[in-house]
Amino acid sequence: MEKFRFLTSGESHGKCLTAIIEGLPANMEIDTDFINSELRRRQSGYGRGARMQIENDTVEILSGVRFGKTTGAPVTLVIKNRDFENWQKILSTNPDDINSEKSFTTFRPGHADYAGSIKYRQKDLRNILERSSARKTAIEVAVGAVAKLFLKNFGIEGSSKIIQIGYGITEEEMHAEIDKAKEDGDTIGGKFEITYKNIPVGLGSYVHWDRKIDGRIAQAIMSIPAVKSVSIGSGENAYKMRGSEFHDEIFCEDGKVIRKTNNAGGIEGGMTNGEDITVTAVMKPIPTLKKPLQSIDCMTQQPAEAHFERSDTCAAEACAVVAEARLACVLANEILLKFGGDSMEDYQIK
């Protein structure tokens, strides 16, 4: 069951990216400046490419908000692609002309090109690239920013940090790893952590497998382009620990239940336990390489170098912002399910 629902549309070089959000209660304040600040965060980070110099993402709200507050109706968000003007004529060429300027037929290892072309019976891989591109995460960050605004009403706030890039742990080491990858015409991935604080007890459920909040979190973050690993709390190291080391002992101080450790990452039995939610994720190296990998042409099956499309060297910081947004959407949905009402005045969270 979903209460906070959204649908996105749009392509990397299309006219715009769009989202329709359903389920927000009425009378919730919408801060457009905050949404735009989240979009700027997504565009920042060491190792980003030339596209970030073209786009200056800002959101336009087309429906569901009046005088700065939600009305209870679906909310429509739009982000215009500035690069559309440069691609408009090119992308409007005959789709059967695979020799057009921006069409390509050589698969990129690690991308959606091969499987997508088989699934949707496409010869021009441009049709796969445009929607599978991580560019669409811009509108997802905007949706996540709306979810964050909802969560702020209950004191729930999130943050993220980069833990490691390649073998680099300090900022200087991480930048050096990115610089070396760029110099080699290569890309590099990274590990990051997301934390949400002030979480009420009992979000999620142990009753049904698909209501467990850790499962929902893992799916939401794993589905971000390039994310290949997700763990909750100390989960990625759990195999090295004994039960006496891993499980968080329970104490009571001044009538309040507390933990002195948080290896569970704030989730036990598929439900939040009141501790901070902590999630670690790993982003693989971006698969579009300036120094291309070997592949084949989808038309001839002959050997060919993989297609190169303008790309970042490292986008781990941006990926962390997207993950924050995705986790915010999961939490907003769970708050609506457990405490939901038709207007903000209906909510009583203790």
Side-chain angles (χ1 to χ4, degrees):
M1 182 178 179
E2 300 291 337
K3 293 283 286 185
F4 183 88
R5 299 182 295 272
F6 64 94
L7 176 69
T8 71
S9 67
E11 290 79 39
S12 182
H13 297 93
K15 190 171 184 179
C16 62
L17 300 167
T18 307
I20 297 177
I21 307 171
E22 191 174 31
L24 288 171
N27 301 327
M28 174 185 138
E29 292 188 5
I30 296 293
D31 183 349
T32 305
D33 289 338
F34 174 75
I35 300 173
N36 288 334
S37 71
E38 291 292 283
L39 292 173
R40 286 193 295 273
R41 287 182 64 218
R42 177 195 165 275
Q43 290 191 283
S44 64
Y46 200 81
R48 301 306 305 275
R51 181 77 186 263
M52 298 306 102
Q53 298 170 16
I54 297 171
E55 303 294 351
N56 181 20
D57 292 339
T58 55
V59 71
E60 182 180 1
I61 300 175
L62 300 186
S63 70
V65 177
R66 190 165 185 244
F67 303 127
K69 291 187 177 182
T70 56
T71 64
V75 173
T76 304
L77 308 178
V78 173
I79 299 172
K80 292 181 180 178
N81 284 328
R82 291 191 175 189
D83 211 16
F84 170 70
E85 297 299 327
N86 302 324
W87 285 63
Q88 185 174 10
K89 183 177 180 181
I90 295 168
L91 292 181
S92 64
T93 55
N94 187 337
D96 293 326
D97 180 11
I98 59 172
N99 296 312
S100 65
E101 185 175 345
K102 290 298 179 181
S103 297
F104 70 99
T105 59
T106 54
F107 301 120
R108 296 166 299 162
H111 269 288
D113 301 344
Y114 171 67
S117 69
I118 300 298
K119 180 176 177 65
Y120 293 106
R121 296 178 181 265
Q122 297 294 313
K123 297 177 181 178
D124 182 356
L125 301 182
R126 171 64 54 189
N127 293 336
I128 309 301
L129 178 153
E130 284 296 312
R131 179 61 183 171
S132 64
S133 167
R135 170 65 188 157
K136 67 182 175 66
T137 61
I139 195 66
E140 294 169 1
V141 167
V143 173
V146 173
K148 284 184 176 184
L149 288 170
F150 174 67
L151 295 173
K152 281 184 177 181
N153 289 282
F154 315 108
I156 301 171
E157 296 198 359
S159 62
S160 62
K161 63 180 180 181
I162 304 300
I163 298 173
Q164 190 167 345
I165 301 290
Y167 292 100
I169 297 175
T170 68
E171 183 178 24
E172 184 179 2
E173 291 170 344
M174 290 190 282
H175 287 186
E177 290 273 357
I178 294 169
D179 291 340
K180 185 62 170 62
K182 184 175 183 179
E183 181 183 327
D184 294 341
D186 215 326
T187 60
I188 195 164
K191 179 190 287 189
F192 55 87
E193 181 182 85
I194 313 108
T195 301
Y196 271 82
K197 297 180 178 293
N198 303 319
I199 307 296
V201 176
L203 301 182
S205 175
Y206 67 87
V207 176
H208 300 294
W209 69 269
D210 58 340
R211 294 296 309 131
K212 291 177 178 284
I213 193 170
D214 41 0
R216 286 179 167 254
I217 289 170
Q219 194 280 332
I221 295 177
M222 181 66 85
S223 62
I224 298 170
V227 169
K228 298 299 285 185
S229 172
V230 177
S231 67
I232 307 232
S234 300
E236 64 181 328
N237 295 311
Y239 71 96
K240 296 187 261 185
M241 305 167 74
R242 292 187 175 186
S244 56
E245 296 175 287
F246 184 87
H247 297 296
D248 307 306
E249 294 182 300
I250 303 172
F251 303 91
C252 185
E253 290 185 2
D254 300 324
K256 182 179 180 182
V257 173
I258 65 165
R259 315 288 181 112
K260 295 181 180 179
T261 59
N262 189 23
N263 291 313
I267 299 172
E268 292 174 313
M271 302 168 293
T272 55
N273 63 12
E275 300 297 315
D276 295 348
I277 292 179
T278 60
V279 182
T280 302
V282 174
M283 179 186 187
K284 71 182 181 182
I286 295 167
T288 300
L289 309 182
K290 196 169 185 180
K291 187 178 180 181
L293 297 171
Q294 288 301 302
S295 184
I296 63 170
D297 187 286
C298 72
M299 300 294 291
T300 66
Q301 280 72 57
Q302 294 300 306
E305 288 189 341
H307 173 74
F308 173 70
E309 190 85 1
R310 178 181 54 199
S311 179
D312 300 324
T313 302
C314 181
E317 291 183 62
C319 192
V321 175
V322 179
E324 277 183 48
R326 289 283 185 89
L327 184 43
C329 292
V330 173
L331 294 175
N333 183 64
E334 295 297 332
I335 292 288
L336 287 165
L337 283 171
K338 186 169 177 61
F339 303 101
D342 296 315
S343 70
M344 290 303 300
E345 290 79 3
D346 295 332
Y347 285 81
Q348 297 290 330
I349 296 182
K350 297 181 180 180

